[in-house]
Amino acid sequence: INSPLRKYCKTMTCKSFFLFFFSSRQDVQTCTTWKAPIIWQGMFKPDDYDQEHKSQGSSVALTVFAIGRYLDVYLKDFLDSSEQHFMLGLPVTYYVFTDTPEKVPNIKLDPQRSLKIIQVERHKRWQDISMMRMKSISDQIESDIRHHSTHVFCFDVDQLFTGRFGPEALGESVALLHAHFYRLPKWLFTYDQNPKSSAYLATGDFYYHAAVFGGSWRNVKALADACHKSIMEDKQNNVEAIWHDESHLNKYFWLHKPSRVLSPEFCWDASIGKRSDIQVRRLMWAPKYYNKLRIA
Ligand code: 2GW
Ligand code: MN
């Protein structure tokens, strides 16, 4: 691609217009109907994003929860792999939320990278452990993150980085296509079907995965506040959304369209098997060990 054309496209209000017509991926959807890019391998030059975000002074807060046995089983491998692949070259601060701060492993971090531990209570029900993350994320953005990082990324801990997960993933508001749903028709999406829940959604754009979401600190704060509010409304009304925080997240992204969408290359489940459109695996689901971890 020659450089005058690139310059021209940069000045357009919608960069994704360029991506839609000139991306090298013809096998997948690379743009949403509201003109947000869907990021696939081959669509971008990694170096361009590294340079752009370095010169903009981007910095990233990564939030992850490791409560109860999830700390012993997943946290060390998650952090070690993140040191190999997540936003290399940018300042990164990990925010590890746990009920047992003394058990957080001592990870050797690269310069420019640091780790903060936030003690949180251990909710009795796992559904609450998962849902109440929204409140903790919001509080931490307000008290700390917004003073130190431009962007926030929130992750499940039961995953492993296996490839570059760089600033091409950064945006104002970022959602991830769920690996199990990206090729399925909408009627199979597992949105909440109960009109009594505030997560109720009759239809949507995509089925997004709550294991990865992000954006500017302002937008992630707004998302976490909105999801927490609707989770609490449901509790008042004695209902719970079918997929907990994930249902509320899908409702939120239906009402507030993400500015950037990550392909399932950014969070792949090996049990799906080989798919020709998945050209790189940047983050992988870790094994579930249901019998050991979900006794409660
Ligand atoms: C969760 C379920 C059952 C038993 C324990 C836990 C649990 C979760 C826990 O004991 N300790 C803990 O720290 N967690 C945190 O919550 C941890 O960060 C974990 O990655 C996250 C979500 O739980 P997880 O990964 O077991 O749920 P998934 O992989 O089935 O997640 C999807 O659906 C969830 C809602 O049901 C969330 O929306 C999640 O973001 C989705 O990926
Ligand atoms: Mn998970």
Side-chain angles (χ1 to χ4, degrees), residues 235-277:
K235 286 194 182 293
Q236 292 261 300
N237 296 325
N238 256 309
V239 287
E240 192 161 87
I242 179 165
W243 288 109
H244 320 106
D245 45 300
E246 188 164 83
S247 307
H248 292 275
L249 184 89
N250 271 279
K251 176 74 171 267
Y252 183 85
F253 278 134
W254 166 248
L255 299 174
H256 310 267
K257 308 294 189 205
S259 68
R260 203 170 185 80
V261 176
L262 304 180
S263 72
E265 294 171 336
F266 285 83
C267 187
W268 188 246
D269 178 5
S271 78
I272 295 171
K274 211 173 152 38
R275 287 281 173 85
S276 61
D277 48 11

Side-chain angles (χ1 to χ4, degrees), residues 121-132:
E121 70 174 293
R122 176 181 187 167
H123 292 279
K124 273 200 236 46
R125 300 173 61 244
W126 68 261
Q127 295 89 341
D128 288 328
I129 292 181
S130 189
M131 291 192 294
M132 296 311 276

Side-chain angles (χ1 to χ4, degrees), residues 9 47 52 58 64 72 78 82 91 101 109 133 141 147 161 169-171 185 207 219 230 238 243 247 262 271 285:
C9 289
D47 293 350
E52 185 185 326
S58 301
V64 67
D72 313 303
F78 175 86
S82 166
L109 301 174
R133 291 183 295 173
I141 292 174
H147 304 296
F161 292 90
L170 295 177
Y207 192 78
N219 282 329
S230 56
N238 256 309
W243 288 109
S247 307
L262 304 180
S271 78
W285 298 22

